[in-house]
Amino acid sequence: MVTSNFFHPSIGFLMMAVVLPFLPGNRRWKWLLLIPPLAAIYAAFTNQPGDYLTMTWLGQTLKFGHVDALSSIFAQVFAIMSLAGILYALHVDDKGQHVAALLYVTGGFGCVFAGDYLTLFAFWELMSVGSTFLVMLNRTRESVLASFRYFIYHTVGGLFLLGGVLLRHKATGSFDFGPILAASAQPYDFLILAGFCVNAAVVPLHAWLPDAYPRGTVTGSVFMCAFTTKTAVYVLARAFPGWEILAIAGTVMAIFGVLYASMENNARRILSYHIVSQVGYMVAGIGVGTAITLNGASAHAYAHILYKGLLFMGAGAVLYSAGTQKLDELGGLAARLPWVMVFYMVAALSISGMPIFNGFVSKTMTIYGAAADHRTFVALGLELAAVGTFVSVGLKLPYFAFWGGKPTDWKRELKPIPFNMYLGMGLLAFMCVLQGVCPEILYRYLPYPEAVGEFQPWTAWNVLQASTLLGFAGLAFYLTRKVITPHKALNLDFDWFYRLIGRALYWLISRPAAFIDNIWTNVWNVVGLRGLMGSARSSVFFDKKIIDGVVDGSASGVKGIGVIGALLQNGKLQYYLGLMVVLALGLFAFFWYGVL
């Protein structure tokens, strides 16, 4: 194995996950959870480009530490998010939740630094297992069922990936993980692409996300919103830049997610659909494939992890305190949860692309790059999605959660929010504003530095354009706020097709099985039962005539011998002498006739 001063962030998280169950039951162990993310932040900003932790196993070269500009920028934001997420979760006493989160983050860092497909697949599946438990450990019937659906879905995606990797190795003899040219792509490359697209929640492979994330634990969903889809964005940027199908799919995702988020009532389900929408920006940028759009995809992934984590923290804090995440049951909480409202609004304005916040300096880069490459459909689609994002997440969700046209709700019993949750939210809010005001803090780490100078976010035109679009969107919401009130219904999108397929498979399996069962029942009634009754009668005859006869006969014989013995043993001497004479004569007769 080749090593150096490179430190793999996964090591700290994995070691903590192994040790944590054996630590004493008091709360002092919680502060140890901060060590892995702090070490990860140091490593992410100091590791130098190169290949590290390379080893040979079964004739294959495994690269655990491939470091370049692309992996470094994702490692940096993963490290920051892991620190904020663990801060937010410090009050949780359930070690199982912490272990699941640690393993999940371990898988995320492992994927980012993987230099070959075998290593990537191992950490890919570790992420799937860890995130499944983050849903299941909410310990409700809905969360358990959602976790099984989630795991099955990601298992199928993992099988697509594994099948493509094995077929690719058979054809090329290599497991190297690098760019694939669309012009020379083979069927196995499309299998790999499908496996990646499942985790990226590309429509129509996205239904697992709005199904599972709202049902996860309050803290678990914060981790999940940051790692699964963004790890998929990373591997797509690594392997499939410039694939036109991704440009189209990303634009569809951006619009589709916004439309469904606008109809939702559940706060975390709204945010889940917006993950689909925002990841669409990144996928579209990767699909366009120019240096500026790839920079935009990376920058937007960085910004998105920060503000989406903050959005889920804000919604989770409301759920933790008020006990519900349904907008029609909330309202009038702004005065009672002021800091939650402030932190949430920082994230809401960030995701909307409002100037001063980090979404403005990342989202507009991708749109600018698409327009500069004459991808009018992509640019207009992403602009339209930006307006819908502001309406649904920036206005609708906070309005009905914190105000809703209701007076301050002093009667509702609110659970006190732990201070560590405010610390996690404060850290991410600070980062959202810092990157928005000083975009060079983000831009200096982009994977294509030569293209950074092509886009300047803080120009009069960009500020005016963004402010105008968001202003008209805000006016439209204000005029229609009483029309678009939340409703209780559960909206199905491609879930409807999945359920239809499930019912069809159930029918295909149950009907033939029922037909065979009916035939077997008739055969059994005619043949089987008669044979069984005949066997029973034979058993009864054997039991009564043979078994009972032998047993009863033996008992009678023993009884007769006992009666004779009792008669002979009467204590009279003459009887004993007579018996001796009889026995002597008998023995003499046997000897005389040669019997003995």
Side-chain angles (χ1 to χ4, degrees):
M1 178 182 290
V2 179
T3 60
S4 71
N5 56 358
F6 167 80
F7 176 73
H8 201 306
S10 291
I11 295 175
F13 290 96
L14 182 59
M15 291 178 60
M16 183 58 65
V18 173
V19 171
L20 182 59
F22 303 99
L23 296 178
N26 57 49
R27 296 190 174 186
R28 293 180 181 178
W29 55 263
K30 291 185 178 181
W31 298 105
L32 297 176
L33 295 172
L34 297 175
I35 296 176
L38 291 173
I41 291 175
Y42 175 80
F45 283 92
T46 58
N47 285 336
Q48 298 299 312
D51 288 324
Y52 308 97
L53 300 178
T54 301
M55 63 177 293
T56 301
W57 181 70
L58 297 179
Q60 302 298 328
T61 300
L62 305 181
K63 301 177 183 177
F64 291 90
H66 178 73
V67 183
D68 60 8
L70 183 62
S71 60
S72 293
I73 190 171
F74 276 86
Q76 290 173 18
V77 70
F78 279 6
I80 294 172
M81 184 62 214
S82 66
L83 175 61
I86 288 177
L87 274 174
Y88 185 80
L90 276 181
H91 65 283
V92 176
D93 294 325
D94 185 358
K95 288 185 178 180
Q97 293 188 39
H98 291 295
V99 170
L102 291 167
L103 292 176
Y104 180 50
V105 177
T106 299
F109 276 111
C111 291
V112 165
F113 287 115
D116 64 277
Y117 277 109
L118 286 180
T119 304
L120 174 68
F121 179 76
F123 285 106
W124 193 264
E125 292 305 297
L126 180 60
M127 286 185 65
S128 176
V129 173
S131 53
T132 296
F133 280 100
L134 288 177
V135 179
M136 182 182 294
L137 288 174
N138 201 23
R139 293 183 173 88
T140 64
R141 183 177 184 275
E142 292 77 11
S143 66
V144 171
L145 294 176
S147 69
F148 277 105
R149 293 192 294 268
Y150 177 92
F151 186 72
I152 291 172
Y153 211 102
H154 284 273
T155 298
V156 173
L159 291 175
F160 278 128
L161 174 59
L162 180 61
V165 167
L166 295 178
L167 292 174
R168 187 176 188 276
H169 178 265
K170 181 179 180 180
T172 64
S174 173
F175 283 114
D176 287 343
F177 178 37
I180 300 172
L181 297 177
S184 58
Q186 300 299 317
Y188 48 76
D189 294 320
F190 286 95
L191 283 177
I192 296 173
L193 177 62
F196 290 165
C197 285
V198 169
N199 274 28
V202 174
V203 177
L205 306 175
H206 69 287
W208 57 269
L209 198 157
D211 177 47
Y213 283 22
R215 295 183 170 93
T217 64
V218 169
T219 56
S221 293
V222 170
F223 284 99
M224 292 174 67
C225 76
F227 286 88
T228 298
T229 51
K230 263 58 73 183
T231 302
V233 168
Y234 165 78
V235 295
L236 287 174
R238 173 74 67 190
F240 298 98
W243 281 51
E244 180 64 24
I245 190 174
L246 292 180
I248 298 171
T251 307
V252 172
M253 290 172 65
I255 299 173
F256 181 90
V258 163
L259 290 176
Y260 267 88
S262 300
M263 298 184 291
E264 275 297 331
N265 179 42
N266 185 305
R268 291 200 294 177
R269 192 168 168 89
I270 291 174
L271 299 179
S272 298
Y273 272 114
H274 269 288
I275 294 178
V276 177
S277 178
Q278 296 298 300
V279 171
Y281 283 84
M282 308 166 208
V283 173
I286 294 168
V288 174
T290 63
I292 187 66
T293 59
L294 289 171
N295 275 348
S298 301
H300 197 50
Y302 202 122
H304 177 268
I305 288 174
L306 299 179
Y307 64 62
K308 183 59 70 173
L310 183 53
L311 286 169
F312 267 89
M313 286 180 177
V318 172
L319 172 61
Y320 179 89
S321 181
T324 182
Q325 56 189 346
K326 297 180 180 179
L327 298 185
D328 64 309
E329 298 175 0
L330 294 171
L333 296 178
R336 300 195 63 189
L337 299 173
W339 281 108
V340 176
M341 182 268 295
V342 169
F343 288 140
Y344 178 88
M345 288 308 302
V346 170
L349 295 176
S350 297
I351 193 176
S352 303
M354 180 72 73
I356 303 178
F357 302 96
N358 61 354
F360 170 70
V361 303
S362 64
K363 182 183 297 185
T364 48
M365 182 184 294
T366 304
I367 298 174
Y368 170 85
D373 198 52
H374 307 291
R375 304 294 185 91
T376 305
F377 168 76
V378 175
L380 289 178
L382 298 183
E383 284 283 19
L384 177 62
V387 174
T389 298
F390 183 51
V391 171
S392 54
V393 175
L395 296 173
K396 175 184 174 180
L397 194 158
Y399 174 76
F400 287 106
F402 297 107
W403 293 281
K406 303 176 183 178
T408 301
D409 188 356
W410 297 108
K411 295 182 179 180
R412 184 189 295 269
E413 183 178 351
L414 296 181
K415 186 178 180 181
I417 297 175
F419 181 70
N420 62 280
M421 295 178 73
Y422 287 113
L423 283 179
M425 289 188 284
L427 173 60
L428 294 186
F430 171 76
M431 291 297 300
C432 289
V433 176
L434 180 65
Q435 287 184 343
V437 175
C438 305
E440 62 275 7
I441 294 176
L442 172 61
Y443 289 177
R444 64 185 297 184
Y445 297 109
L446 293 178
Y448 298 94
E450 69 278 4
V452 170
E454 296 182 25
F455 175 72
Q456 297 296 329
W458 283 103
T459 64
W461 169 249
N462 286 335
V463 174
L464 179 62
Q465 181 188 34
S467 301
T468 302
L469 286 175
L470 297 179
F472 278 107
L475 178 61
F477 172 79
Y478 178 78
L479 296 176
T480 60
R481 68 190 186 282
K482 296 182 179 180
V483 178
I484 59 173
T485 54
H487 57 281
K488 294 180 179 295
L490 176 64
N491 298 310
L492 295 178
D493 53 86
F494 281 87
D495 288 21
W496 186 87
F497 293 102
Y498 298 150
R499 297 184 184 198
L500 179 63
I501 293 171
R503 286 193 292 268
L505 289 174
Y506 176 79
W507 186 89
L508 289 174
I509 294 172
S510 63
R511 288 303 178 89
F515 177 75
I516 295 172
D517 181 68
N518 288 334
I519 294 177
W520 169 248
T521 300
N522 293 331
V523 171
W524 176 256
N525 289 335
V526 174
V527 179
L529 288 179
R530 292 183 180 179
L532 185 63
M533 293 300 294
S535 175
R537 286 191 291 269
S538 300
S539 299
V540 171
F541 176 81
F542 181 79
D543 179 64
K544 289 184 177 180
K545 302 300 182 181
I546 298 177
I547 300 298
D548 290 351
V550 172
V551 173
D552 294 345
S554 299
S556 300
V558 171
K559 180 180 180 182
I561 294 172
V563 171
I564 295 172
L567 293 174
L568 294 175
Q569 296 179 8
N570 53 15
K572 295 180 179 181
L573 181 60
Q574 61 271 28
Y575 281 99
Y576 295 148
L577 292 175
L579 179 60
M580 291 176 60
V581 171
V582 172
L583 292 175
L585 291 175
L587 290 174
F588 176 77
F590 282 129
F591 278 109
W592 181 262
Y593 291 105
V595 177
L596 296 178

